[in-house]
């Protein structure tokens, strides 16, 4: 059974009001007020000086104790990406990080097919790879989170989210005593593959489908785990916006207080990293206790809906 051996996170030190972050990006004052009052965004974290590889290494530093002396056990390094291109050509951040960590023996690759849900896909892929490894102590290292470069689609998503640069590094193993993955459900609705550049009609259809499709994968994940939604202590969501989660809460009758939204106003939507940022904060604040069942949930533009159930 696949487990999370450890999760480390990193937030750039500078907190930026979204008014400042969106300045010069053809976003009206009315849209900024919508992001603040309706969608719940206040500040984001960004570092204009640090490269993606720098921020990945800062995140990996949080796993130093867990990795020390076990470097040879790391079989795979996976960068889970929202966007197909993580850095300007010809740089390759994940390979730079592999060398810096002394893990040149590890097979290293990127995944990006599920957009912001690719972090959960990476956990599933690593679990399958480790299950086939002859060494029961083999490990995989997954990185999530990206730079919000000056391109339009990397700064914000229209009427949806403001992008931040929080990152996570996840050490994955085949067996363990905590944070076991009990199930994974994912569905792709390919008619929306051109998002965020949908026609007016398709955009309306996606907005209508969204809570229904997300509810379907949440229920599928808890069913596959042999549980019900009542058994889930906490949902650790992606940070598209708080309004979408309020709609989902009503759709499935799940208390909004058990959907962890505390980080959304202060970190923004950090690509694939949101559920893992929320995991660390939930652990540090006592919101997750040993034995609790919890769920990570993400939706990627395209449109992929994913949910994964764990036992803490």
């Amino acid at each position: 059974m696949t487990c999370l051996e450890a999760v480390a996170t990193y937030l750039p030190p500078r907190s930026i009001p979204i008014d400042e972050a969106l300045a010069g990006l053809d976003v009206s004052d009315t849209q900024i007020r919508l992001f603040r009052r309706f969608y719940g965004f206040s500040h984001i974290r960004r570092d204009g000086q640090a490269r993606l590889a720098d921020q990945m290494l800062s995140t990996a530093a949080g796993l130093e104790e867990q990795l020390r002396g076990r470097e040879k056990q790391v079989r795979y390094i996976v960068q889970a990406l929202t966007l197909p291109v993580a850095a300007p050509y010809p740089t390759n951040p994940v390979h730079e990080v592999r060398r810096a960590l002394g893990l040149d023996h590890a097979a290293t690759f990127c995944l990006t097919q599920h957009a912001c849900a690719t972090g959960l896909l990476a956990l599933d892929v690593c679990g399958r790879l480790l299950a086939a490894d002859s060494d029961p102590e083999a490990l995989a290292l997954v990185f999530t989170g990206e730079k919000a470069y000056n391109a339009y689609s990397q700064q914000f998503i229209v009427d949806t989210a403001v992008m931040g640069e929080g990152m996570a590094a996840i050490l994955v193993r085949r067996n363990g005593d905590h944070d076991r993955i009990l199930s994974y459900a994912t569905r792709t609705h390919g008619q929306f593959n051109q998002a965020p550049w949908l026609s007016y009609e398709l955009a309306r259809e996606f907005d209508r489908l969204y809570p229904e499709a997300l509810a379907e994968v949440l229920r599928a994940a808890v069913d596959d785990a042999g549980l019900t939604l009542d058994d889930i202590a906490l949902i650790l969501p992606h940070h598209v916006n708080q309004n979408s989660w309020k709609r989902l809460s009503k759709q499935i009758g799940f208390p909004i207080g058990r959907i962890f939204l505390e980080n959304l106003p202060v970190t923004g939507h950090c690509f694939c990293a949101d559920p893992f940022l929320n995991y660390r904060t939930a652990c540090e604040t006592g919101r997750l206790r040993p034995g609790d069942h919890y769920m990570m949930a993400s939706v990627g533009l395209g449109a992929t809906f994913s949910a994964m159930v764990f036992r803490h």
Side-chain angles (χ1 to χ4, degrees), residues 147-308:
K147 292 288 292 181
Y149 291 112
N150 290 326
Y152 178 84
S153 62
Q154 294 173 319
Q155 295 283 327
F156 72 103
I157 305 172
V158 176
D159 293 334
T160 303
V162 184
M163 310 305 289
E165 293 184 355
M167 300 197 177
I170 307 101
L171 199 60
V172 183
R173 63 177 296 173
R174 186 193 309 180
N175 298 302
D177 297 328
H178 57 85
D179 295 303
R180 294 183 176 182
I181 298 176
L182 304 182
S183 66
Y184 172 52
T186 185
R187 311 281 189 268
T188 297
H189 298 261
Q191 67 269 36
F192 305 109
N193 69 88
Q194 293 184 347
W197 300 284
L198 298 174
S199 67
Y200 176 75
E201 292 77 14
L202 275 176
R204 289 189 63 186
E205 174 62 16
F206 179 69
D207 187 62
R208 184 201 64 77
L209 174 73
Y210 185 96
E212 175 186 323
L214 183 52
E216 191 273 327
V217 295
L218 298 185
R219 292 192 177 105
V222 294
D223 286 348
D224 289 349
L227 303 170
T228 69
L229 283 169
D230 289 338
D231 297 315
I232 301 300
L234 208 58
I235 292 177
L236 305 177
H238 70 318
H239 293 165
V240 167
N241 60 68
Q242 67 180 12
N243 181 60
S244 68
W245 287 105
K246 289 178 180 178
R247 291 170 62 196
L248 188 279
S249 172
K250 293 179 181 178
Q251 177 90 10
I252 63 176
F254 192 85
I256 190 66
R258 283 159 55 194
I259 301 176
F260 194 88
L261 295 171
E262 284 85 337
N263 282 333
L264 184 152
V266 295
T267 65
H269 178 24
C270 300
F271 301 91
C272 294
D274 293 336
F276 305 101
L277 295 170
N278 289 331
Y279 167 85
R280 283 297 335 148
T281 306
C283 289
E284 290 165 0
T285 57
R287 293 289 300 276
L288 279 178
R289 298 169 297 180
D292 278 351
H293 294 104
Y294 65 96
M295 181 186 300
M296 294 186 182
S298 292
V299 180
L301 289 174
T304 297
F305 295 77
S306 299
M308 187 171 274

Side-chain angles (χ1 to χ4, degrees), residues 29-42:
D29 291 342
T30 299
Q31 289 174 307
I32 291 174
R33 286 195 296 271
L34 185 71
F35 277 126
R36 279 189 174 275
R37 299 177 184 176
F38 195 56
Y39 294 149
F41 296 100
S42 175

Side-chain angles (χ1 to χ4, degrees), residues 114-156:
H114 287 187
C116 285
T118 304
L120 300 184
L121 171 66
L123 297 187
D124 182 64
V125 169
C126 287
R128 295 171 185 270
L129 291 170
L130 293 173
D133 197 287
S134 60
D135 181 1
E137 301 300 318
L139 301 168
L141 178 57
V142 175
F143 287 96
T144 65
E146 290 156 66
K147 292 288 292 181
Y149 291 112
N150 290 326
Y152 178 84
S153 62
Q154 294 173 319
Q155 295 283 327
F156 72 103

Side-chain angles (χ1 to χ4, degrees), residues 52-53 56 76-87 91-97 107-113 118-119 122 126 141-147 167-168 272:
L52 178 56
M56 292 169 69
Y76 305 98
I77 301 174
V78 180
Q79 187 178 15
L81 295 172
T82 293
L83 300 166
V85 179
T91 58
N92 195 324
V94 70
H95 286 282
E96 182 178 341
V97 168
T108 303
F109 58 94
C110 297
L111 290 172
T112 186
Q113 290 84 353
T118 304
C126 287
L141 178 57
V142 175
F143 287 96
T144 65
E146 290 156 66
K147 292 288 292 181
M167 300 197 177
C272 294

